[in-house]
Structure formats: C-alpha cells, structure tokens
Amino acid sequence: MNINCKGKLIDLATPKVMGILNVTPDSFFDGGKYKDESKILIQVETMLKAGATFIDLGGYSSRPNAEDVTKTEELKRVIPVIQLILKHFPETLISIDTFRSGVAQQSIEAGAALVNDISAGQLDKNMLSTVGKLGVPYIMMHMKGNPKTMQEHTNYNDLVKEVISYFAERISAAHHEKIKDIIIDPGFGFAKTIEQNFELLNQLELLQLTDQPILAGISRKSMIYKTLNSTSQNALNGTTALHMVALQKGSKILRVHDVKEAMECVMLYKQLKSN
C-alpha cells in the first residue's frame, strides 16, 4: 500500500506518524503556541527527528464551535510557514489541513505534498477537481455539517455502516476527478458523541472494506480526556493506549501531537505483529 508524495513512494505497510502543527490561535490543545519562526522550526525539527513522516499544517481550527476564518487569513497563516519549513527542512512532506480548494492549491504550489480535508470535498465544490489536477494524495474525513454545527448532527441509525457508505460515495467522486491516492479519516470527534467515537474505534477494522489506508486522528481528543475526567494536557497516556487499538484495527497513519510516543507505539506494534 503505497502513496506517491512528490515522486517519493511512501510504503504504508509499516504505519506512519503525522505530526500536527497548528498555526491557529484557538486550537484545542496547542492554540497560539507556534507563533514565531523559531518556535515553529524547533517543533518541526523535534517531530521530524522523532520520526514523523508527515507534518500536518493547519491554519483553520476545526474544533467544535471554532470561529470562522477568512480564506485570506488562512493563507496568511499557512503559506509563509510552508516556505519556512521547506527552506530549513527541504525534504519535509507537508500535509495542508484545509477544506478550501484555493488554500489547497496555493499550499501545494508553495511546496506542500498532500491535502487533508475535514469535509471530503463537501464544503468546497472545487476541492476534488483541484486535488485531481494537482495530482497529490488526498485525505478525506467523515463529518456531517461543519465545525460550527457538527455536534448537532450525531444521529445515526447505524454509525459504522453510514460512515462506510459515506466513504464509498466520496471515494467514487474522488476517482471521478482522477484522484489516485486516497486516505480515509473516520473523523473522531466530528459529528459524533463520545460513545459513538468508541463504537467507531471498536469497529475500525470494518473501514478496511473501502480498500483505502485509514488515518486515525484521536490524539488528546475529548473522547479520551472526558472519559478519564481529565484535560487535553493530561491525555497523552490515554492517547497512546488508544493508538495501539487503532493500529491493531488497521490504521496506517496516526495523526498526533506527540510524535515520539506515537513512534514508540508503532515500534511495539510491529514487534507484536512479527511474533
């Protein structure tokens, strides 16, 4: 199972880690933390040295009830950071976390390697055709509504079945636009209650029916810290516990705040599988 990033084949037979870099003032865990160049570069270097294959850069917070950000502001946040990272670490595979085709296009032109879209093309009708023309891998996530309204959309007759059929339709639409490399993200925390997040994780292996690599984004999310009656700051141990479950159920990419710990999890998982 390979994906092509800038002509480099990434083999997902061994699970990979994607480090999160939020340049938003209001992200739930690290909001406002990476404002100046030196802090950004230190964090990127730390993640790359710890073993991250991808750096996921976001300029629009998608936490529940997040404030809307204009396209101009989003571009102002991410384009200089892409240029900064590639100037210092030219081999970095940057994933641009956006649901706007214009931001995706300019980010890829600035040197990003993948597009990570929380809406799977549903919040911008030009997204799929743009990604198809750019010829880059596309991460599509399951969500209903948008970040402001998603928590009003948690009614499902059969959650896992509906998530799979959603992806079947979105994958078909992506193939129609000539997108070759697709990764699916079940969208933990997006239009799902805590109970539904655990139901989804517990049956995650069923998503392999889509025949696409699965990305798990559970790092420090409320499904962990609310269950433990804790905070996102204290959710690393719980995150690691659920990362192992995600790997055992077929996840090929872990999208994380803490790369070193996620890499240790992958190494232990590989050891477990090899015996």
Side-chain angles (χ1 to χ4, degrees), residues 42-238:
I42 288 166
Q43 178 62 2
V44 170
E45 184 174 29
T46 301
M47 293 196 288
L48 292 173
K49 278 190 170 164
T53 300
F54 310 101
I55 301 293
D56 192 46
L57 174 64
Y60 186 119
S61 176
S62 55
R63 65 177 177 76
N65 303 311
E67 284 307 304
D68 192 32
V69 173
T70 64
K71 177 185 166 187
T72 310
E73 175 63 24
E74 192 181 350
L75 283 167
K76 202 166 85 181
R77 289 176 182 180
V78 298
I79 300 298
V81 177
I82 293 169
Q83 293 165 337
L84 176 72
I85 293 169
L86 294 176
K87 182 182 165 191
H88 291 268
F89 309 106
E91 298 300 305
T92 309
L93 296 175
I94 298 171
S95 154
I96 179 67
D97 183 354
T98 185
F99 56 79
R100 291 181 169 128
S101 59
V103 175
Q105 172 126 16
Q106 289 192 47
S107 297
I108 297 297
E109 286 167 356
L114 313 81
V115 175
N116 180 9
D117 177 5
I118 58 167
S119 79
Q122 305 218 90
L123 292 178
D124 183 335
K125 62 180 182 1
N126 298 317
M127 181 59 100
L128 296 184
S129 59
T130 300
V131 174
K133 290 189 187 91
L134 291 166
V136 295
Y138 183 58
I139 302 165
M140 54 165 67
M141 194 187 81
H142 174 272
M143 174 176 69
K144 294 198 288 188
N146 60 47
K148 260 191 154 47
T149 66
M150 61 188 178
Q151 291 316 105
E152 298 159 22
H153 298 284
T154 56
N155 290 332
Y156 300 88
N157 291 321
D158 184 331
L159 172 66
V160 177
K161 197 172 167 185
E162 287 176 50
V163 169
I164 291 169
S165 78
Y166 168 95
F167 280 126
E169 186 275 322
R170 291 282 82 202
I171 290 163
S172 170
H175 283 158
H176 182 71
E177 296 294 349
K178 311 283 189 291
I179 299 175
K180 292 187 178 70
D181 293 328
I182 298 168
I183 296 151
I184 63 165
D185 173 354
F188 292 103
F190 289 81
K192 296 165 193 82
T193 63
I194 289 174
E195 292 75 18
Q196 287 167 342
N197 286 318
F198 278 96
E199 181 188 345
L200 190 55
L201 181 59
N202 200 30
Q203 299 183 64
L204 197 64
E205 69 277 10
L206 297 177
L207 267 65
Q208 294 180 60
L209 289 167
T210 62
D211 215 22
Q212 310 297 332
I214 300 165
L215 177 150
I218 49 184
S219 180
R220 295 183 180 268
K221 283 189 173 170
S222 64
M223 67 181 284
I224 297 166
Y225 66 78
K226 285 184 179 170
T227 300
L228 299 174
N229 197 19
S230 185
T231 63
S232 61
Q233 265 61 34
N234 295 313
L236 176 55
N237 188 45

Side-chain angles (χ1 to χ4, degrees), residues 213-271:
I214 300 165
L215 177 150
I218 49 184
S219 180
R220 295 183 180 268
K221 283 189 173 170
S222 64
M223 67 181 284
I224 297 166
Y225 66 78
K226 285 184 179 170
T227 300
L228 299 174
N229 197 19
S230 185
T231 63
S232 61
Q233 265 61 34
N234 295 313
L236 176 55
N237 188 45
T239 294
T240 304
L242 294 191
H243 275 160
M244 184 58 90
V245 175
L247 292 169
Q248 289 179 316
K249 289 183 171 287
S251 291
K252 296 300 181 190
I253 300 174
L254 299 177
R255 181 182 179 273
V256 310
H257 298 93
D258 310 276
V259 173
K260 175 178 169 285
E261 290 81 357
M263 286 297 296
E264 288 176 354
C265 203
V266 170
M267 286 166 74
L268 293 169
Y269 164 76
K270 279 170 65 182
Q271 188 64 35

